[in-house]
Amino acid sequence: MTWRFLFAIAVAVLAAAKKRNVVFWFIVGFLFEWIPLIIILFLPNGSGGRVFSGGRSTGTDTRWHRKVSRNCPYCGHHVTFDDIPGNWTCPDCGNTFTYNADGRVSKSREDELMPQVELIVKLFAKLAKRDGVVSENEVRQVDQIVRQAFLPTKEQLGKIMTLFNESRYSEESFESISEKLYASVRGRRDLLVDTVTALFAIAAADGSLRVEEESMIRTACTIFGLAGDYESIKAQFFGQSSAGEPSHEVSLDASYRLLECAPSDSDQVIKKKYRELIKENHPDRLMSRGASEDSIKEANKKVAQIKRAYEQIMAAR
């Protein structure tokens, strides 16, 4: 009997080190002695991961700091994770569960999208479509934000992009979606600030803040109760004029993002990227392909923005 206890304790200690269920492995160790000891030695460490996770994307500060603990609805194991509604994976049983906005946890399918994520994606789509044309840079920025902020599965990413495309033409208004999001997250300031930050990142993707885009983001801030934070969030992407008034010209950081470069890159790297973007977006290239007049007009704007960004970066070095 003494040996059984010793084996059970040894197995439990190893289970704890590998982040496994200590009680379960203690019982197994007591019943089967040395066999589970060998098994636990070769088991990989248990690890938890989330399907939707906070992260830092270019121009978008999506940080989730608060932690909560809940019991897994599948195995009952105690799980600690970030306090944001979404899908999470239990480190003990490996099943995915949903943490809801009201604090409850429930069983879920991995390919389901949380309502809050759907609403945020709809806002992205409405903003990108506001000026009539959804540019390649805006789509690329949305994709980057979605991947880094939500860490979706392949199935979820497909659903998100389908929703994005459909929402561009839906009858639902930007204001209505904003109100639903505010109610859905129960006024969670951190989530709402991150949403506004992401909206500015999308607006800055084309190098300037259009009047229509600014109006929409102001509306969102008002609905979210963030009217007083509007200018500080905007300043992360757009600079100030010489008179101290807000400017629609992009900030230096936004210029680097537009050229897909970093401040640490050399002049040669930046110049090479600048030439690649000019070549890629040049109107003559589109004309040779028989592009529409609107596309050519958009390309001219894009080239001008790339040139301004390059000049701003070079002047600051």
Side-chain angles (χ1 to χ4, degrees), residues 31-42:
L31 294 175
F32 300 100
E33 299 183 357
W34 59 271
I35 296 177
L37 184 62
I38 295 176
I39 294 175
I40 195 69
L41 282 172
F42 291 96

Side-chain angles (χ1 to χ4, degrees), residues 120-190:
I120 291 171
V121 172
K122 288 181 179 180
L123 289 180
F124 291 172
K126 292 295 182 182
L127 182 73
K129 182 64 175 177
R130 180 67 176 186
D131 56 0
V133 179
V134 179
S135 70
E136 183 179 342
N137 277 346
E138 288 173 326
V139 174
R140 187 183 297 121
Q141 182 66 60
V142 169
D143 180 76
Q144 184 178 28
I145 292 171
V146 165
R147 288 177 184 273
Q148 295 189 14
F150 303 140
L151 293 183
T153 63
K154 182 179 179 181
E155 292 76 15
Q156 288 170 334
L157 183 60
K159 286 189 174 184
I160 286 172
M161 297 316 294
T162 298
L163 177 64
F164 176 81
N165 290 327
E166 292 175 348
S167 299
R168 289 156 52 188
Y169 305 101
S170 71
E171 296 296 327
E172 194 171 14
S173 69
F174 184 87
E175 292 79 3
S176 173
I177 299 170
S178 298
E179 290 169 353
K180 289 179 181 178
L181 178 61
Y182 181 80
S184 177
V185 301
R186 299 189 174 188
R188 278 277 302 277
R189 176 182 170 82
D190 52 347

Side-chain angles (χ1 to χ4, degrees), residues 216-233:
M216 293 179 76
I217 299 176
R218 279 189 182 277
T219 297
C221 281
T222 301
I223 294 173
F224 294 163
L226 300 175
D229 300 280
Y230 176 84
E231 294 298 342
S232 62
I233 301 174

Side-chain angles (χ1 to χ4, degrees), residues 27-64:
I27 295 173
V28 173
F30 181 80
L31 294 175
F32 300 100
E33 299 183 357
W34 59 271
I35 296 177
L37 184 62
I38 295 176
I39 294 175
I40 195 69
L41 282 172
F42 291 96
L43 276 180
N45 290 339
S47 60
R50 57 179 299 179
V51 176
F52 292 123
S53 172
R56 188 177 183 88
S57 65
T58 304
T60 308
D61 189 7
T62 45
R63 298 165 296 181
W64 324 110

